[in-house]
Amino acid sequence: MIREKVKVSTRTLQWKCVESRVDSKRLYYGRFILSPLRKGQAETIGIAMRRILLGEIEGTCITRAKSEKIPHEYSTIVGIQESIHEILMNLKEIVLRSNLYGTRDASICFKGPGYVTAQDIILPPSVEIVDNTQHIANLTEPIHLCIELQIERNRGYRIKTLNNIQDGSYTIDAVFMPVRNANHSIHSYVNGTEKQEILFLEIWTNGSLTPKEALYEASRNLIDLFIPFLHAEEENLEEENLEEENLEEENLEEENLNLESNQHKVTLPLFTEEDRLAKDKQRENKKAIALKSIFIDQLELPPRIYNCLKKSNIHTLFELLNKSQEDLMKMEHFRVEDIKHILNIKSIYSE
């Protein structure tokens, strides 16, 4: 009931990208509008979206560097123009794009003289650098610079710890936030006798994703926060329907007992065939609604399978279950073991 009301109230809403530009490899800008909104709705959506954009979208960055030749963070090495602290700050500025989960290892191994840039980092297959020209160090003599790196995907901001490990490993301030800034503004106007609003959203990203992708991820994250409330409403409805069914069965059984005691030989069915079909259809509709509320982001799929499904416009569990094995085999880069993984998921949710 609640979900149907939400669909009806938002059916006329329209969003549009009114401006999009790339200022540099590490600075993307997008401006979006959402309308028409009733009075007060634009402020509600704008505040929520800005908080999600700045704090809930995941990003990837370098979180640790290690080299056995480094005595301490503020030391210098003969033949390297920058101090170790400056090198760590340069590593902090490198912007990465990935769909990895957890941490991965990377490394730099460079022989001078020459300039060490981001393109000299040896990365795992699931990670790429947004700007390969990012400066790291300048080697003025023919020496070797070898640094082991740790890459992590997370959200928010994490300040480095003061206690460094004794093996030459140093933590780096981790800025996981791919959205550099987000603003919202509201334009009010009168439509007939009703006051309406237009919401303007401005988004700046670091290039690891576009403003449109950031808006999409923020919307999905915001929806995920409200899914438990929708499930709670469905559980309450299921419990109420179950109680009503049990009460109906008890009443019918009691009527049948009364008829038998009066020696009537009339057999009354508990439910007609139409009732059964209606109830079966109602259960199927409830199940479909529940499956549409589960996104593939919540299934903890391997990154490659997740990306293949996204490219095929499969976003919910309902859409995934409706795909046949033949449909999955037609998807680009899908392998036999991937099909087995999906079939296991189908067997769990089809019960």
Side-chain angles (χ1 to χ4, degrees):
M1 292 294 290
I2 290 179
R3 188 168 297 146
E4 291 301 322
K5 290 180 181 178
V6 172
K7 286 183 179 179
V8 172
S9 64
T10 60
R11 189 172 297 167
T12 58
L13 290 180
Q14 295 181 350
W15 76 277
K16 183 179 180 181
C17 178
V18 294
E19 185 179 356
S20 178
R21 67 173 186 264
V22 178
D23 295 331
S24 68
K25 289 183 178 180
R26 290 182 286 167
L27 184 59
Y28 286 42
Y29 171 80
R31 190 165 182 251
F32 308 89
I33 61 172
L34 178 67
S35 66
L37 295 164
R38 289 195 293 269
K39 183 179 179 181
Q41 289 182 337
E43 186 72 16
T44 301
I45 298 173
I47 292 174
M49 288 299 295
R50 186 175 186 274
R51 287 181 177 272
I52 296 294
L53 284 166
L54 294 176
E56 295 296 327
I57 299 181
E58 292 185 343
T60 306
C61 64
I62 299 172
T63 58
R64 185 177 293 275
K66 176 183 177 182
S67 178
E68 296 178 355
K69 297 180 180 180
I70 301 176
H72 57 83
E73 182 179 345
Y74 297 97
S75 62
T76 58
I77 297 178
V78 177
I80 301 179
Q81 181 175 320
E82 292 82 3
S83 67
I84 299 304
H85 177 74
E86 290 173 329
I87 293 176
L88 294 178
M89 291 301 99
N90 291 335
L91 290 172
K92 174 184 173 181
E93 295 298 322
I94 293 176
V95 179
L96 302 174
R97 181 190 295 114
S98 79
N99 289 319
L100 63 81
Y101 294 91
T103 60
R104 295 289 188 277
D105 294 328
S107 62
I108 299 174
C109 191
F110 188 89
K111 182 179 179 180
Y115 290 96
V116 183
T117 61
Q119 68 178 354
D120 297 309
I121 301 176
I122 303 173
L123 295 167
S126 57
V127 183
E128 59 181 291
I129 297 173
V130 172
D131 184 6
N132 286 326
T133 63
Q134 170 65 39
H135 178 74
I136 297 176
N138 180 19
L139 275 61
T140 57
E141 297 183 12
I143 62 172
H144 282 89
L145 176 65
C146 294
I147 304 176
E148 297 178 16
L149 304 174
Q150 179 179 284
I151 296 172
E152 185 178 346
R153 182 177 177 85
N154 211 316
R155 64 185 63 182
Y157 182 89
R158 189 169 64 205
I159 300 176
K160 66 178 181 179
T161 57
L162 297 177
N163 297 325
N164 293 318
I165 303 174
Q166 298 299 322
D167 60 354
S169 179
Y170 298 89
T171 56
I172 301 174
D173 289 337
V175 184
F176 297 106
M177 301 176 292
V179 177
R180 287 189 170 186
N181 194 14
N183 290 330
H184 78 277
S185 58
I186 301 168
H187 172 70
S188 301
Y189 64 98
V190 177
N191 184 11
T193 59
E194 183 181 3
K195 188 174 182 180
Q196 294 184 335
E197 298 176 339
I198 300 175
L199 173 65
F200 290 85
L201 275 173
E202 292 182 291
I203 302 173
W204 291 263
T205 69
N206 63 1
S208 62
L209 76 172
T210 64
K212 185 177 179 181
E213 291 171 335
L215 183 64
Y216 177 80
E217 290 297 327
S219 302
R220 294 291 295 274
N221 289 343
L222 191 59
I223 290 172
D224 287 344
L225 294 176
F226 289 101
I227 283 178
F229 296 109
L230 298 178
H231 286 171
E233 178 66 20
E234 290 173 2
E235 290 174 0
N236 292 335
L237 289 174
E238 290 177 0
E239 291 177 0
E240 291 175 2
N241 291 333
L242 183 60
E243 291 177 0
E244 291 178 1
E245 290 177 6
N246 292 335
L247 185 59
E248 289 177 4
E249 291 179 1
E250 290 176 2
N251 292 336
L252 289 172
E253 288 177 3
E254 187 175 344
E255 291 178 6
N256 288 335
L257 290 173
N258 293 334
L259 288 172
E260 289 177 4
S261 63
N262 293 329
Q263 296 183 349
H264 290 290
K265 296 182 180 181
V266 179
T267 303
L268 295 177
L270 292 177
F271 298 101
T272 64
E273 187 63 24
E274 293 181 357
D275 292 335
R276 289 195 182 91
L277 292 175
K279 288 186 178 295
D280 290 340
K281 187 176 181 180
Q282 187 180 10
R283 291 192 185 95
E284 291 177 1
N285 291 337
K286 288 180 181 178
K287 185 177 180 181
I289 291 173
L291 294 177
K292 288 178 182 178
S293 300
I294 301 176
F295 298 102
I296 62 172
D297 309 63
Q298 302 169 258
L299 300 179
E300 298 184 357
L301 296 169
R304 199 173 54 78
I305 297 179
Y306 174 83
N307 293 331
C308 289
L309 295 177
K310 284 284 189 180
K311 291 179 181 178
S312 300
N313 292 322
I314 300 174
H315 304 294
T316 66
L317 181 58
F318 180 78
E319 295 170 344
L320 179 60
L321 295 180
N322 283 336
K323 292 292 182 181
S324 63
Q325 187 171 344
E326 291 75 15
D327 295 333
L328 296 174
M329 288 297 295
K330 294 177 183 177
M331 292 170 56
E332 188 177 1
H333 304 307
F334 232 61
R335 301 181 301 189
V336 176
E337 52 265 33
D338 300 334
I339 300 294
K340 293 179 180 178
H341 191 94
I342 298 300
L343 291 177
N344 290 334
I345 295 176
K346 285 190 173 187
S347 63
I348 294 173
Y349 287 95
S350 298
E351 294 179 353

